[in-house]
Amino acid sequence: MAEFLETTYKKFIFKVKVGYLYSKEDFWADIKGKVATIGVADFLQKSKGDVAFLETVEAGTPVTKGQELGKIESIKATFGIISPVSGKVIKVNSELDASPHLINCDPYGAGWIYEIELVDPEGNSRELFDAESYMKLMNEKIEKEAKKLYG
């Protein structure tokens, strides 16, 4: 099986990493046991443009699914980091302080934002989309944006 699912719109190629779970807000979670690594999906980082700055919470911060865990400032917009899971932040990617562009260059790898210790690993994954389901949702969002831009 391929590592990524891909779709192309105009000059943009949007990737979805197989094996990760996704929220409707376009954030991903890689759940391994009781820990989820989370980050920004490729679609969101490409639609918002180059990341210039991140404002993150500290390790130890409790989090509820859907809660804002900081902000990302890009060349096009400032938007919230919306947690796809509930638990407690146990690690913040300190590489992003000096290199926020890692979110654009490697959104599913070096551009991860947080590691979260999960309260309920099975419950957290139940409401998230697998790669195939998220791909459908992402394609709907791309079509909706295209209609707004191009009629």
Side-chain angles (χ1 to χ4, degrees):
M1 181 179 236
E3 184 180 8
F4 293 99
L5 301 176
E6 292 184 1
T7 191
T8 303
Y9 180 77
K10 300 228 179 247
K11 64 179 181 172
F12 298 103
I13 298 172
F14 298 99
K15 294 183 177 187
V16 175
K17 184 154 175 108
V18 175
Y20 284 13
L21 298 173
Y22 298 85
S23 68
K24 67 182 188 295
E25 295 86 10
D26 304 304
F27 290 86
W28 57 263
D30 180 21
I31 299 175
K32 299 235 186 318
K34 292 186 174 190
V35 176
T37 303
I38 68 165
V40 177
D42 189 45
F43 171 72
L44 183 59
Q45 68 86 14
K46 281 193 173 120
S47 15
K48 299 297 184 185
D50 294 340
V51 174
F53 177 77
L54 259 79
E55 180 184 306
T56 55
V57 298
E58 295 180 8
T61 302
V63 58
T64 304
K65 181 179 181 169
Q67 177 183 342
E68 188 172 292
L69 282 179
K71 297 206 180 291
I72 296 175
E73 188 176 315
S74 73
I75 59 170
K76 293 183 182 177
T78 299
F79 58 100
I81 302 167
I82 307 300
S83 180
V85 296
S86 296
K88 179 174 74 173
V89 175
I90 56 173
K91 191 171 183 182
V92 180
N93 186 352
S94 60
E95 296 294 316
L96 298 177
D97 291 340
S99 304
H101 67 277
L102 289 173
I103 289 175
N104 299 111
C105 300
D106 190 9
Y108 297 118
W112 66 274
I113 302 171
Y114 295 112
E115 284 184 3
I116 296 176
E117 183 178 40
L118 302 172
V119 174
D120 176 11
E122 286 183 27
N124 272 295
S125 62
R126 237 180 266 128
E127 296 177 27
L128 297 174
F129 298 95
D130 63 13
E132 292 80 11
S133 300
Y134 177 70
M135 186 77 166
K136 290 177 189 167
L137 176 66
M138 184 183 69
N139 280 323
E140 290 170 9
K141 289 181 179 188
I142 291 168
E143 286 177 27
K144 189 176 178 181
E145 284 299 312
K147 283 182 183 173
K148 279 199 297 193
L149 293 172
Y150 306 109

